């Protein structure tokens, strides 16, 4: 301990004195004749010559630069460094704050200052070595078949968060349940029950990837997020607009698997049973009337085929780009559930054009304007329509489950505002509740908000945009007065013909 502290003091002293001068030693006034005579009479050859060469110079203190003739006997340190008693005493005084007189130690000029041999190091001042404590990794629960709820349970839980879309929720619940049956088919059960003796092990269950089609704001992404949270599985959401073939000017195809691995805390086993949601899948449709290479359209669909069907890919850990400095992990996509979603604009016109070919003449004929006002026109979509839109048949073949979501009506908008567990109005009520203010929305006000959202044509996203606009003044003014007890949002306030109803405390 003293040796380390002493070397640190010498280093600080050397920094304070400026750049160190070379270790020079002053030559004594020895008679050259006497030196030559001593060498001739020594008779010990090279060792004596070396000793005489060292005796020709006197030692100089490393700190005060005084020679041995003025400072007295020197203390020899390892590395050819010499110190006088005064400098040594000052150095140790600064460490021990007084208490050792090194001038009284015997054989001081010839010792190497090994304090362990002198037994002067008190055990109380020994510095213990740092022990690296490994942090215990958070153990993720092992997902088993018993943890996967039945389809009716999945749909019941989805009903608490998602309004409407009954068919979509039922299809997704069954598809997810069957997918995890396939994932745990070869896994032995914990209780040793295993498979029945009559089960044919040669039956291979194919993947049930899902294609979601619905207008913007109908709840495609929200459905997937809610489903992943209920099942407690890792979820990765990727945007197909940034994907290009081999990562020319965007992300590589395998970057979607890297995001899933990051969502699973780099646990490969857990990631291989996760969910990947690729949004805006309609943006990689085959480009029409193009003379350049379609690196962001049909080529991306071709590259996604191997991931959707199931393959083993090398993905970087902690990064979306492959390089020599990034560690790689091997991920098998056989048991990863892929859900692709998109709005598919103008797909309704393609469906109508196909259905119009069935029109006939006479009684019972189908009129041309029959499907113009059909709100569930997307429910009649077929692979033929998607191929016309620009999706290749191989890609559609690997998405056997097709889910269509309906456009939101005004009644559904009102229910979305107040019924789900995480409703938008409940969020604002919670914010004002923290200021001890009660917030109430009138039914007429909710209807006005729903009707305005329908006009904007952006689905449920328009609800938050409208509420943010009208709640700004309330959230700003209410905290000014602590006597306000409740606020009622009325329709005249939304129509800008009045104000909110404010009630004081007591």
């Amino acid at each position: 301990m003293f040796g380390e502290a002493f070397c640190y003091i010498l280093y600080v002293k050397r920094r304070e004195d400026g750049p160190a001068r070379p270790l020079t030693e002053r030559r004594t006034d020895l008679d050259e004749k006497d030196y030559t005579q001593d060498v001739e009479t020594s008779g010990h050859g090279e060792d004596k010559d070396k000793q005489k060469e060292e005796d020709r110079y006197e030692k100089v203190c490393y700190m005060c630069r005084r020679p041995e003739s003025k400072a007295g006997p020197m203390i020899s340190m390892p590395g050819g460094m010499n110190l006088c008693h005064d400098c040594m005493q000052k150095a140790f005084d600064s460490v021990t704050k007084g208490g050792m007189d090194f001038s009284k130690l015997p054989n001081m000029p010839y010792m190497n200052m090994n304090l362990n041999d002198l037994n002067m190091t008190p055990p109380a001042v020994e510095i213990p070595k740092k022990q690296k404590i490994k942090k215990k990794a958070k153990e993720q629960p092992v997902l088993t078949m018993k943890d996967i709820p039945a389809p009716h349970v999945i749909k019941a839980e989805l009903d608490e968060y998602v309004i409407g879309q009954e068919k979509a929720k039922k299809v997704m619940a069954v598809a997810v349940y069957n997918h995890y049956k396939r994932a745990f088919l070869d896994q032995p059960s914990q209780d040793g029950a295993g498979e029945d003796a009559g089960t044919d092990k040669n039956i291979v269950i194919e993947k049930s990837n899902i294609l979601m089609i619905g207008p913007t704001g109908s709840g495609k992404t929200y459905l997937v997020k809610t489903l992943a949270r209920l099942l407690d599985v890792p979820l990765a959401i990727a945007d197909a607009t940034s994907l290009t073939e081999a990562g020319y000017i965007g992300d590589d195809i395998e970057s979607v698997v890297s995001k899933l691995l990051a969502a699973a805390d780099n646990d490969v086993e857990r990631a291989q049973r996760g969910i990947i949601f690729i949004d805006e899948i309609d943006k990689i449709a085959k480009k029409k009337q193009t003379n350049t290479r379609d690196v962001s359209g049909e080529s991306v669909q071709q590259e996604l085929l191997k991931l959707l069907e199931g393959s083993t890919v090398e993905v970087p850990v902690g990064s979306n780009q492959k390089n020599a400095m990034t560690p790689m992990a091997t991920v098998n996509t056989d048991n990863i559930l892929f859900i692709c979603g998109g709005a598919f604009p103008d797909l309704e016109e393609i469906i109508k054009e196909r259905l119009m070919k069935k029109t006939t003449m006479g009684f019972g004929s189908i009129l041309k304007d029959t499907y113009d006002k059909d709100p569930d026109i997307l429910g009649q979509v077929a692979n033929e329509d998607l191929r016309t839109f620009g999706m290749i048949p191989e890609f559609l073949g690997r998405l056997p489950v097709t889910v269509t979501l309906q456009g939101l009506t005004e009644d559904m908008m009102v229910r979305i505002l107040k019924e789900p567990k995480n409703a938008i109005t409940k969020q604002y009520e919670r914010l004002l509740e923290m200021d001890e203010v009660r917030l109430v929305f009138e039914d007429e006000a909710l209807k006005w908000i729903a009707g305005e959202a329908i006009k904007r044509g952006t689905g449920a996203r328009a609800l938050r945009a409208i509420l943010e606009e009208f709640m700004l003044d309330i959230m700003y003014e209410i905290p000014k007065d602590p006597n306000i007890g409740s606020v009622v949002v009325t329709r005249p306030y939304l129509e800008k013909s009045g104000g909110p109803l404010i009630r004081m405390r007591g």
Side-chain angles (χ1 to χ4, degrees), residues 134-200:
K134 295 183 178 179
K135 294 183 179 180
K136 294 183 178 180
K138 186 178 179 180
E139 297 182 357
Q140 297 289 346
V142 179
L143 194 65
T144 61
M145 190 60 205
K146 296 181 179 179
D147 300 326
I148 304 301
H152 69 280
V153 178
I154 296 177
K155 183 182 178 300
E157 293 179 347
L158 288 175
D159 289 338
E160 298 179 357
Y161 294 91
V162 182
I163 300 300
Q165 315 297 354
E166 298 298 325
K167 183 178 179 181
K169 289 185 288 187
K170 184 181 297 184
V171 172
M172 290 192 65
V174 174
V176 169
Y177 186 65
N178 291 337
H179 169 77
Y180 282 101
K181 277 184 179 179
R182 175 184 179 274
F184 295 106
L185 183 63
D186 298 330
Q187 179 179 343
S189 59
Q190 301 293 335
D191 54 1
E195 299 179 350
D196 297 336
T199 303
D200 189 357

Side-chain angles (χ1 to χ4, degrees), residues 210-223:
I210 304 173
L211 175 63
M212 301 178 65
I213 303 174
T216 179
S218 57
K220 298 184 295 295
T221 306
Y222 188 68
L223 259 174

Side-chain angles (χ1 to χ4, degrees), residues 26 111 232 263:
R26 183 174 300 176
M111 64 182 300
D232 192 21

Side-chain angles (χ1 to χ4, degrees), residues 39 54 68 79 92 97 114 126 207 258-259 388 403 450 460:
V39 173
E54 293 177 357
E68 193 174 12
F92 277 88
K97 296 182 181 180
N114 190 354
E126 291 182 356
K207 294 183 67 173
S258 299
K259 293 180 180 179
T388 305
V403 179

